Amino acid sequence: MYEYASGKQDWLAAGLPTEGRTASWPRAGTVAREDAPTCRLTERLGDVAERTRQAGWDVCVVVNEVGVVMGLLRAEQLEGEQEARVEAVMRPGPSTFRPHVPIAEMAQLMIEHDLGAVPVTTGDGVLVGVLRREDAARAALAWRREHGEEHEHG
Amino acid sequence: MPRSIERDEVRKLLDQGVQLVEVLPQEEFDEEHLPGAINIPLRRIDEEARRRLDPSRPVVVYCWDDP
């Protein structure tokens, strides 16, 4: 007999497959973009800013060697001193969200708190992707149109 | 006393056909559960475990998180 002590919340936070009535609902992890730009602490800000711009983003996630989120560079930081190292200008310890959060909940939260883009991570802090507010709102709206608002609340 | 295991070991055991038991209430189980899990709510575990589980195969139990 074994006990999975970290339980269902750990499984969901890792974005692993599930079964059940709400298992197919769109979540933060399924809508987040996996191609969001990332960089390392020691990179030169100018190089990162250029790469981020060319990829069509205005946010870059700072990760360590195993993909754990260390910080965030938003537009304001990306426009900073271009010769500086990322670690000197990034916003450390940004708020992150778990992959299993329903997309309607994410959209509402991002609108209420005026968040343009947020990192989605596993419970271990490993980056899954970046969720953009417009993507979250679009997915939530499409879901409501298709399934009816009552499903959002189970 | 059950041995505590982490996610990676659960995944390995799932591939080996372990019996996975969610002990949360039925409502929460119906909403979402781990693949292949069955539901035996904690308050019914004494009466149902013997009837529903195969004693020859390993069992993993889980709830929401650490109690």
Side-chain angles (χ1 to χ4, degrees):
Chain A
M1 167 88 81
Y2 302 95
E3 180 189 16
Y4 177 23
S6 304
K8 187 154 75 171
Q9 67 85 24
D10 175 70
W11 189 270
L12 296 174
L16 292 169
T18 57
E19 295 172 351
R21 186 169 52 82
T22 66
S24 63
W25 287 12
R27 313 288 175 122
T30 53
V31 180
R33 297 191 185 205
E34 293 175 12
D35 62 349
T38 61
C39 64
R40 303 289 286 274
L41 289 165
T42 53
E43 285 192 77
R44 180 182 163 271
L45 181 65
D47 298 336
V48 173
E50 179 59 23
R51 198 166 74 225
T52 303
R53 240 186 327 269
Q54 284 187 359
W57 287 77
D58 60 0
V59 62
C60 182
V61 186
V62 187
V63 295
N64 70 6
E65 64 282 1
V66 290
V68 171
V69 173
M70 308 298 289
L72 204 59
L73 296 166
R74 294 196 184 277
E76 188 186 343
Q77 288 83 43
L78 287 166
E79 288 165 9
E81 170 51 56
Q82 299 293 287
E83 292 305 319
R85 297 283 167 200
V86 164
E87 62 186 328
V89 294
M90 72 176 190
R91 292 175 59 182
S95 295
T96 59
F97 297 85
R98 299 290 91 80
H100 66 283
V101 180
I103 202 64
E105 198 177 311
M106 284 303 307
Q108 189 176 347
L109 186 144
M110 293 178 79
I111 290 165
E112 280 176 7
H113 295 274
D114 194 25
L115 300 169
V118 295
V120 177
T121 71
T122 66
D124 308 324
V126 175
L127 183 67
V128 172
V130 172
L131 181 63
R132 297 213 242 202
R133 182 170 52 201
E134 59 267 34
D135 292 342
R138 196 178 301 119
L141 193 60
W143 180 252
R144 280 206 179 99
R145 282 184 179 147
E146 194 179 339
H147 296 273
E149 195 162 349
E150 72 277 10
H151 284 178
E152 300 290 353
H153 305 291
Chain B
M1 190 73 178
R3 180 164 76 82
S4 184
I5 57 173
E6 296 301 327
R7 191 195 316 142
D8 286 345
E9 200 167 349
V10 175
R11 296 179 76 178
K12 278 183 203 155
L13 286 165
L14 273 176
D15 291 340
Q16 296 165 18
V18 73
Q19 300 172 95
L20 195 53
V21 180
E22 178 169 315
V23 296
L24 292 166
Q26 174 92 45
E27 245 175 45
E28 291 181 47
F29 175 83
D30 290 346
E31 200 169 278
E32 195 163 25
H33 52 264
L34 272 59
I38 62 167
N39 180 223
I40 306 182
L42 203 51
R43 60 190 162 80
R44 299 206 307 260
I45 202 139
D46 285 342
E47 58 190 272
E48 289 194 26
R50 278 201 182 88
R51 184 165 54 82
R52 296 180 62 189
L53 296 174
D54 176 354
S56 67
R57 290 163 53 208
V59 175
V60 174
V61 295
Y62 71 92
C63 58
W64 178 246
D65 60 8
D66 283 319

